[in-house]
Structure formats: C-alpha cells, structure tokens
Amino acid sequence: MSTTPGKTLGGRRAQAARNDEVILEAARAVFLDDPKAPIAAVAERAGVGISALYRRYAGKEDLLRQLCHDGLRRYVAEAESALAEPDDWTAFAGFLARVVDADVHSLTVHLAGTFTPTEEMGRDAVRASELATALFERARASGRLRPDVVVPDLGLLLESCAAVRVPDPERTGQLRRRQLAVLLAGLSTAPDAEPLPGPAPAAGEFDWRWRPRE
C-alpha cells in the first residue's frame, strides 16, 4: 500500500523534529560537561551523522545559541505562567523552583561568551528581566521579602542552585530544591535579620560575560 505525499511529508517532519530534539539534548549534555568540546562529540552522543547535524546547524556557535535561547524562552514562559498565580509569594517561589528544575542557569554559567547573541535573544532577555522584576515586586508587596534584596540577586540565587550537581540527576534535583529552600529562607523577612553585606549587585553588572571570548 503506497503512502500519500502528505503523510510522507508529515512523517519526515516528525522524524526531523525528533532528530532535532535528540541533537539538542545531546548538545546540552556535551557542552555542560565541556563547553570547548567539538561539534562532532554532539553528533556521536546523539547517534547521528555529522552531516545530519550540519543540515540543522551551520556550526557550533549556532548550536550553542539555540541551546541558550531555548533556556531563555523557558525562563520567560515560566515567569508568564507564574504571574497568573494569585498569591504573590507563591508566584515568586514557584517561579524560582520551576526555573531551578528546568536547569536554565547551568547554560548561562557554562556557555556565556561562547557565541554572539542575536537581536531576538536581546529582546527576550529584556522581556525576561521585566517579568522577573514584576514577580519580585509582587513578592516585596506581600511583605515576605526582606527590603535589602534587589532583582539582580535572583540571578545569583539561581546560579548557585545550578552549581549543585552530582552524578545522579534525581539526586541533583533534590539537592537543588533543598538549596533553593535555604536561599528563600534567607530572602524572607525576619525581625532580627542582619543587613546583607556589601553593595547589592547592580543591573547589568554581569553582562560582561556575554561578550565573545577571545
């Protein structure tokens, strides 16, 4: 029995989508382990030919850019979802927990500066900052966020959770959630809390690392 052109095309598209997902998963694993790894290591881990990879991505930089942009989009989606939560503190804490679970900031820590961001990424980064600020201000309005915390502290909090990693992925997730709970407790208001030390991180203070590395 012959297959209609429409069904054949749909099957090919589905297979291409699956291949792309496998490639991105492999690239994430490879480059989180070693950002300097060659693109051939991604093809090997994905179990595809190097030509199949190059049909989708012109080179390593395109692949790195796609990975980070996907993470940025996930961050934006989680923030938008959190804003629909009626309880201000629950919205804030839930957003942070889901971003930690998605492991978005491991990409930031490992891959910043390894590629040139696009204008679209820049727009999405601005959107991400706006949404995070909205959630932060809601948390502050709830009265549960200590007054000397600033929005850029959130990035440091998320990166510290992303730094927690053990060989077992499930255990990694458990430890990251525990670390987040400890950090959220530190962000919460307490009548006898000592002031946070040093000047607060400034907006844009960490943008330098997105400059291409020599």
Side-chain angles (χ1 to χ4, degrees), residues 107-123:
L107 295 171
T108 300
V109 172
H110 286 78
L111 303 184
T114 60
F115 63 89
T116 302
T118 63
E119 290 184 5
E120 184 182 4
M121 289 183 73
R123 291 191 294 270

Side-chain angles (χ1 to χ4, degrees), residues 192-211:
D192 57 348
E194 293 288 332
L196 292 173
E205 187 170 355
F206 301 97
D207 290 355
W208 61 268
R209 59 188 171 186
W210 287 104
R211 298 169 194 151

Side-chain angles (χ1 to χ4, degrees), residues 64-77:
L64 293 171
R65 191 161 31 236
Q66 182 69 50
L67 285 173
C68 279
H69 202 175
D70 285 349
L72 181 56
R73 290 187 182 110
R74 177 68 181 272
Y75 184 97
V76 168

Side-chain angles (χ1 to χ4, degrees), residues 81-98:
S81 176
L83 286 172
E85 164 62 47
D87 182 84
D88 294 333
W89 183 260
T90 299
F92 177 69
F95 161 68
L96 293 176
R98 290 191 296 275

Side-chain angles (χ1 to χ4, degrees), residues 14-90:
Q15 184 61 49
R18 285 192 294 270
N19 287 346
D20 198 46
E21 185 176 346
V22 169
I23 288 171
L24 289 173
E25 287 177 0
R28 180 184 176 91
V30 166
F31 294 135
L32 284 182
D33 184 57
D34 179 11
K36 295 182 180 179
I39 198 169
V42 176
E44 181 179 358
R45 188 180 183 97
V48 302
I50 193 70
S51 59
L53 195 153
Y54 276 119
R55 280 197 295 271
R56 291 167 176 79
Y57 301 97
K60 180 178 175 179
E61 184 169 340
D62 281 351
L63 191 49
L64 293 171
R65 191 161 31 236
Q66 182 69 50
L67 285 173
C68 279
H69 202 175
D70 285 349
L72 181 56
R73 290 187 182 110
R74 177 68 181 272
Y75 184 97
V76 168
E78 295 296 356
E80 289 174 339
S81 176
L83 286 172
E85 164 62 47
D87 182 84
D88 294 333
W89 183 260
T90 299

